[in-house]
């Protein structure tokens, strides 16, 4: 978080900051913390765009919300209007987050090049580390000592071999450990009890393909956490 804040330029300067890292490293969570801080600071705009399928649809939504362009304009036209709007006022406080970018080349032409907008990009593509004009803040995994300390502080359980087993099962990925810690603490489970519950989560074939090179244990932890939310949230 300190590196992210340092990478974001001061008022009146456009800032393009990428958060590259593996799935489950916590890139989106990091960006979300910064976005909430911008909301609290009274930014004129805080826009969160799901960019997995490209940036155009999200930018077009910004244009519609700001009443830019004409009725019936194509999404690409509206997106261009949004980019121009982001560039036109260097003193405005505006944040745009492009979450989960999978095509760096497809994003470049839609990034503001002037003005005062702050742009965050979360991605598992390392090309952003070599892209001109973009500051990359790499988001890594926990080391084993960091993960063990995190689990102890989150759950209150003593450190030991069972904590290590949970960390290994989740690949020491912050996203998985955060979900595990919260689930264990809320349900007052033991580490071994959590591992049994985790093993009982069956992922369908779609999720297994989606996991790809990611750690399946994190997807199982997510499925377990989502099921728990359904039990405590009666409205869905």
């Amino acid at each position: 978080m300190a590196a992210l804040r340092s990478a974001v330029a001061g008022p009146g300067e456009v800032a393009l900051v990428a958060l590259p890292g593996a799935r489950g490293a916590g890139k989106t969570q990091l960006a979300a913390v910064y976005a909430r801080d911008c909301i609290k600071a009274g930014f004129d705009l805080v826009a969160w765009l799901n960019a997995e399928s490209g940036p155009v649809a999200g930018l077009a939504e910004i244009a519609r919300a700001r009443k830019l362009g004409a009725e019936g304009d194509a999404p690409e036209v509206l997106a261009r209007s949004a980019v121009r709007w982001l560039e036109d006022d260097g003193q405005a406080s505006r944040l745009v987050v492009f979450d989960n970018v999978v095509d760096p080349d497809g994003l470049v032409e839609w990034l503001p090049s002037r003005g005062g907008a702050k742009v965050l990009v979360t991605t598992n593509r390392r090309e952003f580390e070599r892209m001109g004009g973009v500051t990359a803040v790499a988001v890594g995994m926990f080391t084993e000592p960091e993960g063990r300390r995190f689990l102890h502080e989150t759950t209150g359980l003593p450190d030991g071999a069972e904590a290590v087993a949970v960390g290994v099962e989740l690949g020491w990925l912050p996203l998985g450990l955060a979900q595990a810690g919260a689930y264990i603490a809320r349900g007052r489970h033991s580490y071994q009890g959590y591992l049994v519950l985790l093993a009982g989560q069956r992922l369908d074939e779609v999720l297994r393909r989606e996991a790809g090179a990611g750690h399946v244990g994190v997807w199982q932890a997510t499925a377990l956490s989502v099921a728990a939310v359904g039990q405590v949230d009666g409205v869905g």
Side-chain angles (χ1 to χ4, degrees):
M1 197 67 211
L4 170 57
R5 294 188 190 285
S6 177
V8 177
E13 302 175 46
V14 65
L16 307 176
V17 180
L19 300 173
R23 287 179 175 177
K27 306 178 296 295
T28 294
Q29 288 77 5
L30 194 65
V33 170
Y34 186 79
R36 286 193 291 269
D37 287 349
C38 290
I39 292 172
K40 292 177 183 177
F43 269 43
D44 304 304
L45 172 78
V46 176
W48 189 281
L49 311 184
N50 182 352
E52 185 171 3
S53 58
V56 171
L59 288 169
E61 284 299 315
I62 293 177
R64 294 188 187 100
R66 304 302 303 183
K67 295 181 170 45
L68 306 174
E71 185 176 350
D73 278 349
E76 290 78 6
V77 175
L78 290 170
R80 291 289 180 202
S81 298
V83 174
R84 288 194 296 271
W85 178 76
L86 290 169
E87 294 177 331
D88 71 2
D89 189 347
Q91 300 307 309
S93 300
R94 297 166 179 168
L95 171 71
V96 179
V97 180
F98 293 98
D99 188 36
N100 199 22
V101 172
V102 297
D103 180 12
D105 293 334
L107 177 67
V108 172
E109 64 176 304
W110 302 100
L111 294 174
S113 59
R114 59 183 183 275
K118 314 303 179 188
V119 177
L120 295 185
V121 177
T122 72
T123 181
N124 60 8
R125 300 291 296 270
R126 294 290 181 178
E127 291 93 327
F128 283 99
E129 297 180 2
R130 303 181 296 275
M131 189 175 291
V134 176
T135 301
V137 178
V139 183
M141 267 76 89
F142 281 149
T143 63
E144 181 178 323
E146 288 172 338
R148 293 171 71 170
R149 184 170 64 250
F150 175 84
L151 283 174
H152 172 66
E153 293 174 353
T154 305
T155 66
L157 296 175
D159 185 28
E162 290 186 351
V164 173
V166 171
V168 170
E169 188 66 24
L170 300 175
W172 298 111
L173 287 164
L175 176 61
L177 293 178
Q179 294 184 90
Y183 191 97
I184 290 168
R186 183 179 182 85
R188 298 183 179 179
H189 299 286
S190 66
Y191 288 131
Q192 185 58 41
Y194 181 78
L195 286 170
V196 171
L197 292 171
L198 201 65
Q201 294 300 306
R202 298 288 180 255
L203 301 180
D204 62 30
E205 191 58 32
V206 173
L207 278 179
R208 286 191 175 276
R209 288 197 303 269
E210 184 67 21
H215 208 286
V216 174
V218 174
W219 290 79
Q220 291 174 307
T222 301
L224 191 59
S225 295
V226 169
V229 170
Q231 294 170 5
V232 300
D233 181 6
V235 300

